[in-house]
Amino acid sequence: MYPYQITSLAQYHEVYQKSIKDPEGFWAEIAAHFSWRKPWDKVLSWNFKTPEIKWFEGGKLNITENCLDRHIEKSGDTPAIIWEPNNPDSPTRTITYRELLFKVKQFANVLKNNGVKKGDRVCIYMGMIPELAIALLACARIGAIHSVIFGGFSARSISDRLQDANGEYVITCDGSYRGNKEIALKPIIDDALVNCPFVKRVIVFSHTNTPVSMHKGRDVWWNEEIEKVEEQGNPDCPAEEMDAEDMLFILYTSGSTGKPKGVVHTCGGYMIFANYTFVNVFQYNPGDVYFCTADIGWITGHSYIVYGPLSAGATSLMFEGIPTWPDAGRMWEIVDKYKVNILYTAPTALRSLMSYGVEVVEKYDLGSLKVLGTVGEPINEEAWHWYNENIGKKRCPIVDTWWQTETGGMMISNLAGVTPSKPSFATLPIPGVQPVLVDEKGAELEGNNVSGNLCMKFPWPGMLRTTYGDHERCRLNYFSTYDNLYFTGDGCLRDEEGYYRITGRVDDVLNVSGHRIGTAEVENAINMHTGVVESAVVGFPHDIKGQALYAFVICSEHPRDEQLMRKDIAETVSSVIGAIARPDKIQFVSGLPKTRSGKIMRRILRKIAEGEMANIGDTTALLDPAVVEDIKTGKL
Ligand code: WT7
């Protein structure tokens, strides 16, 4: 039990009301349960116009003291991280809080020995191994700002991010395992660094033991650096005293325009929000084994594999592999093997596993499960019921958690077993979160049975503070669409009972297998192919991925071999962004439906991609309505 854990529906309503009436008092009371070097002077100051948001100003802390040091006395021997390797026959690892603190200090000293200082940006590009969590925490220990780059991104994506963050330090590994594939990581870093001469040091962890090139003066081995620290007698590494509003990390995410932006989270508010939501939504109790299947390369891994669980002294299970290897029973095998109590995964994973039938599930004992969660995209009712019946055996509440990279933690979600669940609804806001629905003009839609664009009218501690190096972009993206509101980019409805249901993005951002992809980014990548003149990318519904990418492409000449050209274009996207952004369908067209002002009418392309040929809607605003017929019939 945590002192701020809500345990009944009546209490939820009471706490929620309090959190709205007196947000400062509400969050201050929760924050008091954490370890601060110096208390804050002011709980909150905010202005959504500029925007400027400060939580716990003047307060001093270090998040790793809250995630590690403070648990040692009571739970030093509790497993902090349990690691299941990709290969089920390889040895697993269990790292207690005491051991994790030791390793974090050791690696923090490695960082210091290599010149990393408070405020420096450290980019991390690794597979899902405990050293990834150790790297994050070691950065936080010394006040360096980490920026994790998902292992699926290309060299070019890495160098864009390194340049944007001006990251002088990189932590990587030789490679990682995913299913039957071995993925090279260091060679991709080498490619990325051709365009980043400012990088001073690359620390390489050896995981797959594959030969890699090591550049003299730039690259060092993780293990050799640890040995040096050992030779120094393993000196202590006291945590750097951080201001609550000092940056903790940058995480790049896609928007509707331009290159990915670096979402910035700060130390104090983020920690409290990640912890509060973790403890309340999952109803975590000490001793529970908690398994989040996300990758630490995304916000879900930051908040709900590392900072949320560890700040709560929880046992966090980390899995290197994929749910379908060696077979589609892998996740259930892990649940059985470690007696997992809480499982947090993505609808896309469930939809993919559903297709293998229940026989693979029935081989395992899932009796330890108490709570199930989903995140990343709307969950369709079929997947919800499958999860409920076959995994939870109808005795585990399912929490459908809506949130974003920018929100730092869960915003709208039921609390497991405490507040009601409703299939495909995220249901009610977390205490302290004040959602509003607005119409196109920004007028608030009050009452129930309404749908509109989802905004927040009051700050919460975990919210983004800026986009790195470009504060104006942050203002434009999130705070300028509607006056005095944070705009999420999502459409949403509030039903007759006041429950929220997210209906999907209303901007040009797609959600493919829970990965966020900007259509503009994919178009830019496609247009880099020599034979391409112009392209337009839209989403279409996909049984497993949720959404998939449909690209309409104009070529300078009719491709001699269409199939080969499609593959070339997909390869181009892979090398520019990463394999996750490869279009699923490519249609060559002679023109795109444009308005007289030259704007592509995506609404029409979306209809065509969805196969709704008969239902295209009004095309009178088009410069050349005949284009639509050609696209529909596939005429070039
Ligand atoms: C977008 C944020 C939240 C961490 C993983 C994704 C969609 C997220 C849900 C949900 C419906 C959801 C939204 C949101 N989304 N969770 N439970 N139900 N949609 O983080 O990459 O920042 O993407 O994912 O569209 O805006 P992200």
Side-chain angles (χ1 to χ4, degrees):
M1 257 309 273
Y2 298 81
Y4 41 86
Q5 208 161 20
I6 298 166
T7 52
S8 71
L9 181 59
Q11 194 193 356
Y12 163 79
H13 287 300
E14 191 186 306
V15 170
Y16 188 78
Q17 283 316 316
K18 183 183 168 200
S19 79
I20 301 286
K21 273 200 208 103
D22 176 19
E24 279 97 337
F26 169 74
W27 287 113
E29 219 171 88
I30 295 160
H33 294 285
F34 291 75
S35 142
W36 295 85
R37 292 268 185 95
K38 175 181 167 289
W40 53 89
D41 303 318
K42 191 161 190 252
V43 179
L44 169 68
S45 48
W46 68 290
N47 175 351
F48 271 0
K49 293 201 189 298
T50 37
E52 191 177 24
I53 296 109
K54 287 184 180 157
W55 282 95
F56 310 111
E57 212 176 335
K60 303 280 183 192
L61 79 161
N62 185 291
I63 197 168
T64 69
E65 286 188 334
N66 285 275
C67 287
L68 303 169
D69 306 63
R70 72 165 171 156
H71 304 312
I72 299 302
E73 201 186 320
K74 259 180 70 189
S75 9
D77 297 322
T78 300
I81 295 176
I82 299 175
W83 181 70
E84 168 73 7
N86 177 63
N87 186 331
D89 300 325
S90 297
T92 72
R93 289 167 69 183
T94 298
I95 304 171
T96 65
Y97 273 93
R98 196 184 321 283
E99 287 161 347
L100 186 59
L101 175 59
F102 179 79
K103 283 175 185 291
V104 167
K105 285 182 177 176
Q106 236 187 0
F107 190 64
N109 278 324
V110 166
L111 293 175
K112 281 196 207 163
N113 286 346
N114 280 279
V116 183
K117 291 180 300 298
K118 177 176 180 174
D120 287 344
R121 274 80 51 221
V122 179
C123 291
I124 305 178
Y125 188 67
M126 298 173 91
M128 281 287 286
I129 52 175
E131 280 67 25
L132 170 53
I134 292 167
L136 265 68
L137 292 162
C139 287
R141 187 83 180 168
I142 64 169
I145 301 163
H146 60 71
S147 181
V148 183
I149 303 172
F150 174 64
F153 280 118
S154 68
R156 196 188 172 107
S157 294
I158 298 169
S159 57
D160 283 350
R161 285 159 172 75
L162 274 165
Q163 283 164 7
D164 189 80
N166 194 14
E168 293 175 327
Y169 302 91
V170 174
I171 306 170
T172 188
C173 37
D174 44 2
S176 72
Y177 301 111
R178 279 175 67 79
N180 57 9
K181 289 203 198 101
E182 192 180 312
I183 298 174
L185 295 171
K186 175 63 166 60
I188 299 176
I189 288 291
D190 290 336
D191 283 353
L193 296 198
V194 171
N195 297 317
C196 303
F198 49 85
V199 170
K200 293 182 186 155
R201 191 68 83 237
V202 180
I203 302 174
V204 187
F205 183 78
S206 173
H207 178 55
T208 52
N209 289 312
T210 11
V212 292
S213 76
M214 293 291 283
H215 294 221
K216 190 179 279 167
R218 189 193 74 186
D219 303 353
V220 295
W221 290 106
W222 175 302
N223 281 343
E224 288 178 8
E225 295 303 300
I226 292 282
E227 277 163 26
K228 285 185 200 159
V229 171
E230 281 166 354
E231 280 157 23
Q232 291 164 353
N234 270 320
D236 190 33
C237 181
E240 186 75 33
E241 189 170 285
M242 305 294 284
D243 195 276
E245 280 300 331
D246 279 339
M247 281 186 204
L248 174 63
F249 66 84
I250 307 170
L251 189 59
Y252 283 85
T253 191
S254 295
S256 49
T257 54
K259 286 190 175 165
K261 44 191 181 271
V263 168
V264 170
H265 286 289
T266 56
C267 297
Y270 170 80
M271 168 182 82
I272 285 151
F273 195 63
N275 176 290
Y276 183 77
T277 49
F278 172 76
V279 159
N280 278 293
V281 170
F282 295 122
Q283 291 290 304
Y284 186 87
N285 279 306
D288 286 344
V289 177
Y290 160 82
F291 176 22
C292 167
T293 68
D295 191 292
I296 294 180
W298 309 110
I299 190 70
T300 308
H302 282 61
S303 301
Y304 300 111
I305 294 179
V306 182
Y307 292 115
L310 297 184
S311 66
T315 296
S316 182
L317 186 112
M318 191 175 165
F319 172 42
E320 181 186 22
I322 57 169
T324 48
W325 191 83
D327 61 51
R330 188 66 192 277
M331 251 161 69
W332 322 126
E333 185 204 342
I334 296 173
V335 168
D336 188 351
K337 180 171 174 185
Y338 297 98
K339 302 293 164 222
V340 169
N341 305 111
I342 303 168
L343 174 67
Y344 192 30
T345 192
T348 187
L350 295 173
R351 287 191 300 261
S352 133
L353 295 175
M354 271 164 71
S355 64
Y356 293 88
V358 287
E359 301 72 42
V360 256
V361 181
E362 281 160 358
K363 281 200 248 163
Y364 302 100
D365 176 6
L366 306 183
S368 56
L369 286 173
K370 295 195 289 195
V371 173
L372 304 175
T374 72
V375 60
E377 51 175 319
I379 180 162
N380 48 312
E381 293 205 23
E382 196 193 349
W384 194 97
H385 287 293
W386 188 84
Y387 202 21
N388 185 38
E389 282 157 30
N390 299 297
I391 308 305
K393 318 283 182 196
K394 292 191 180 163
R395 34 163 215 88
C396 303
I398 298 177
V399 290
D400 178 352
T401 65
W402 174 86
W403 57 295
Q404 311 177 293
T405 304
E406 293 86 346
T407 70
M410 300 157 178
M411 299 288 282
I412 304 181
S413 173
N414 49 319
L415 312 183
V418 172
T419 65
S421 65
K422 184 165 182 173
S424 82
F425 279 73
T427 71
L428 299 172
I430 300 290
V433 171
Q434 301 192 33
V436 287
L437 301 181
V438 299
D439 66 16
E440 303 286 271
K441 296 196 184 81
E444 185 172 343
L445 302 165
E446 291 186 56
N448 290 341
N449 249 325
V450 288
S451 78
N453 289 345
L454 178 62
C455 295
M456 299 295 151
K457 67 174 172 194
F458 197 84
W460 63 99
M463 73 186 296
L464 88 162
R465 301 298 195 266
T466 188
T467 46
Y468 192 80
D470 194 349
H471 192 63
E472 176 60 5
R473 194 167 174 203
C474 173
R475 189 188 69 80
L476 278 173
N477 253 289
Y478 307 104
F479 299 92
S480 72
T481 317
Y482 304 113
D483 195 32
N484 251 328
L485 296 174
Y486 164 85
F487 177 42
T488 64
D490 278 316
C492 182
L493 67 82
R494 189 166 50 223
D495 75 357
E496 59 288 347
E497 293 173 288
Y499 293 155
Y500 290 86
R501 176 188 194 149
I502 311 300
T503 49
R505 302 288 305 197
V506 295
D507 52 6
D508 293 321
V509 170
L510 301 178
N511 194 326
V512 179
S513 302
H515 300 319
R516 182 155 154 190
I517 295 171
T519 53
E521 247 183 286
V522 184
E523 288 162 8
N524 289 341
I526 293 175
N527 298 350
M528 282 184 194
H529 188 286
T530 47
V532 171
V533 176
E534 198 182 0
S535 62
V537 172
V538 295
F540 69 99
H542 186 281
D543 283 351
I544 287 171
K545 297 178 176 187
Q547 272 188 311
L549 300 177
Y550 196 121
F552 297 88
V553 178
I554 305 178
C555 296
S556 47
E557 275 169 52
H558 184 81
R560 231 172 279 159
D561 180 340
E562 285 198 12
Q563 219 28 45
L564 187 62
M565 181 68 169
R566 283 196 186 92
K567 284 189 183 145
D568 282 357
I569 290 173
E571 261 326 291
T572 310
V573 175
S574 259
S575 83
V576 175
I577 304 175
I580 52 170
R582 286 171 87 100
D584 297 78
K585 282 193 189 158
I586 296 175
Q587 180 180 345
F588 297 112
V589 295
S590 56
L592 291 167
K594 287 188 181 172
T595 60
R596 286 179 193 88
S597 59
K599 206 174 162 286
I600 297 173
M601 284 186 81
R602 284 163 198 284
R603 168 176 66 77
I604 293 175
L605 293 176
R606 243 176 259 134
K607 288 278 181 207
I608 296 173
E610 285 164 13
E612 294 234 15
M613 305 291 182
N615 243 328
I616 297 290
D618 186 15
T619 56
T620 49
L622 290 178
L623 183 64
D624 176 13
V627 162
V628 178
E629 276 317 302
D630 290 349
I631 300 178
K632 272 163 60 176
T633 54
K635 185 171 155 236
L636 260 180

